[in-house]
Amino acid sequence: MSDLLERLRARGWRMTSQRRVVAEVLAGDHVHLTADEVHARAVAHLPEIARATVYNTLGELVALGEVVELSTDGRAKRYDPNAHHPHQHLVCSNCGIIRDVHPTGDPLGALPPAERFGFTVATADVTYRGLCPSCA
Amino acid sequence: MSDLLERLRARGWRMTSQRRVVAEVLAGDHVHLTADEVHARAVAHLPEIARATVYNTLGELVALGEVVELSTDGRAKRYDPNAHHPHQHLVCSNCGIIRDVHPTGDPLGALPPAERFGFTVATADVTYRGLCPSCA
DNA sequence: TTTGTTGCAAATCATTTGCACGTAG
DNA sequence: CTACGTGCAAATGATTTGCAACAAA
């Protein structure tokens, strides 16, 4: 369960102070920050980091497959560093908080061949929605 | 299987020419247009309809629960008029085409209580991804 | 009439890009 | 040294909003 930063170094990713800070901000489970939130936290450790650099860096991490991009809510995309551990998401319809969840069984199995329209189906992203304990 | 327009009239939705045109554009299965595409098609029937009106109207249809908003692709949201018929989506990772699909079983059942973090889970949205026949 | 809807343009928000400067390898 | 990353500001794309004119019930 090596962390994001280690994995990036191992891949020979060119390291800079801003890239390191972005990778440090994105650490742990149940972390689903927007680009702006990542920027805000990064600034606390590296005041001169630019918003555009955060966007570029996040885009690169997504391209590398080290971070997953979520469109779960209406506005800004969120970034999930837990890419090495397959999981789905549970979102509160009221406050928007997101938890990582692990459903049983293979979601792909629920889609019969007749319902595949000739597609080669590769993945299934599931978003569960409901009310969290605080909002219920 | 009454159509969208009928259901809206039945609900006593205040009808205007632009609302009617928007509702007419959103008809049928496997329809997943962006707000801009809806506007483009609406203009063909009612040249003076404003883009803002299309956005407002779509937002209202979503609030009424008569249309579902999809964030499946990176950029613009798409609108699915098939709200009365529960279904999931199959998206081509290459060209972005979307098909409505009906998986077997109840997706909610796959989430065990221990994985619900105290949430009251209401729905499960599934997005299958893969390559369509043309892109494979 | 009366209340809710529309059109227009300007405002906002999220994200991207162009370019000169800076720095990791 | 030299390719690649960064900061800044301006550009873009999607969507929302303010407000006066307008039309459905």
Side-chain angles (χ1 to χ4, degrees):
Chain A
M1 160 133 172
S2 60
D3 80 311
L4 180 56
L5 203 47
E6 280 180 52
R7 273 180 288 136
L8 290 169
R9 285 195 215 275
R11 291 180 74 147
W13 199 48
R14 187 166 185 162
M15 192 53 63
T16 66
S17 48
Q18 27 286 308
R19 286 177 166 204
R20 178 178 45 72
V21 169
V22 168
E24 285 170 353
V25 165
L26 289 174
D29 280 5
H30 305 297
V31 170
H32 312 93
L33 302 168
T34 62
D36 235 43
E37 288 167 349
V38 171
H39 177 245
R41 298 189 185 202
V43 163
H45 294 283
L46 189 68
E48 49 288 317
I49 191 170
R51 187 178 264 92
T53 299
V54 171
Y55 274 102
N56 291 338
T57 304
L58 289 173
E60 229 173 307
L61 290 173
V62 170
L64 287 171
E66 295 290 354
V67 162
V68 174
E69 196 174 76
L70 310 179
S71 310
T72 51
D73 65 336
R75 285 225 160 302
K77 291 173 198 154
R78 292 184 172 274
Y79 296 87
D80 183 340
N82 205 5
H84 49 115
H85 227 266
H87 63 275
Q88 306 299 343
H89 295 105
L90 172 56
V91 183
C92 177
S93 319
N94 186 243
C95 69
I97 191 179
I98 304 174
R99 316 284 338 218
D100 291 353
V101 293
H102 303 82
T104 58
D106 175 21
L108 289 184
L111 194 63
E115 280 288 315
R116 299 195 176 198
F117 295 90
F119 279 54
T120 309
V121 185
T123 63
D125 296 350
V126 185
T127 303
Y128 296 95
R129 294 176 201 284
L131 291 176
C132 72
S134 316
C135 292
Chain B
M1 156 127 172
S2 61
D3 79 312
L4 180 56
L5 204 46
E6 280 181 51
R7 274 180 286 135
L8 291 169
R9 284 195 214 274
R11 291 180 76 146
W13 198 48
R14 186 167 187 162
M15 192 54 62
T16 66
S17 48
Q18 24 290 304
R19 286 176 168 203
R20 179 178 43 72
V21 169
V22 168
E24 284 170 352
V25 166
L26 290 173
D29 279 7
H30 305 296
V31 170
H32 312 93
L33 301 168
T34 62
D36 236 42
E37 289 166 348
V38 171
H39 178 245
R41 299 189 185 202
V43 163
H45 296 283
L46 190 68
E48 48 288 316
I49 191 170
R51 187 179 263 90
T53 299
V54 172
Y55 274 103
N56 290 339
T57 304
L58 289 173
E60 229 173 304
L61 291 174
V62 170
L64 287 172
E66 294 290 355
V67 162
V68 175
E69 194 175 78
L70 310 179
S71 309
T72 51
D73 66 335
R75 287 230 162 298
K77 291 173 197 155
R78 292 184 174 274
Y79 296 86
D80 184 339
N82 205 3
H84 48 117
H85 226 262
H87 63 275
Q88 306 300 342
H89 294 105
L90 171 56
V91 183
C92 177
S93 318
N94 186 244
C95 70
I97 193 179
I98 304 174
R99 316 284 338 218
D100 291 354
V101 294
H102 304 82
T104 58
D106 176 21
L108 290 184
L111 195 64
E115 281 287 315
R116 299 193 176 201
F117 294 91
F119 278 54
T120 308
V121 185
T123 64
D125 297 348
V126 185
T127 303
Y128 295 95
R129 292 175 203 285
L131 292 176
C132 72
S134 315
C135 293

